[in-house]
Amino acid sequence: MDTPLSDAETASRIVDEAQRLYHDLARELNQALTKLRNGIDDPEAKSRAETIRAHRKALQTILDIQAKFVTQAEEGSSGYELDLEAARREINRRLDRLAALKRD
């Protein structure tokens, strides 16, 4: 059975990977929005919905793991603190930026 520390290490790696995926998808979506704004034909436009679904899944993974960390911290099974509020603010800031790009 995994110890809380190994669970935390695993969860941390998953969060890191999900965040990298989130950044990659956000960059790809920004590039697609730029093409649309500039009237550039984008042959991959139809596959964009899949990218958006992957983007949402990555974000949901991050939020799920953060919830697990909160539960562990409340139960006292973790010997460290995570700044979930800072992470939440960062995620919201990025989502707001994507929404603003979409409106433009």
Side-chain angles (χ1 to χ4, degrees), residues 37-66:
R37 274 191 228 107
N38 294 329
I40 299 171
D41 186 34
D42 184 2
E44 297 177 12
K46 290 184 179 182
S47 68
R48 201 67 59 215
E50 183 63 33
T51 301
I52 292 169
R53 280 191 290 278
H55 179 274
R56 287 184 181 164
K57 184 176 180 182
L59 178 58
Q60 187 59 53
T61 299
I62 291 168
L63 295 175
D64 290 346
I65 292 171
Q66 285 176 337

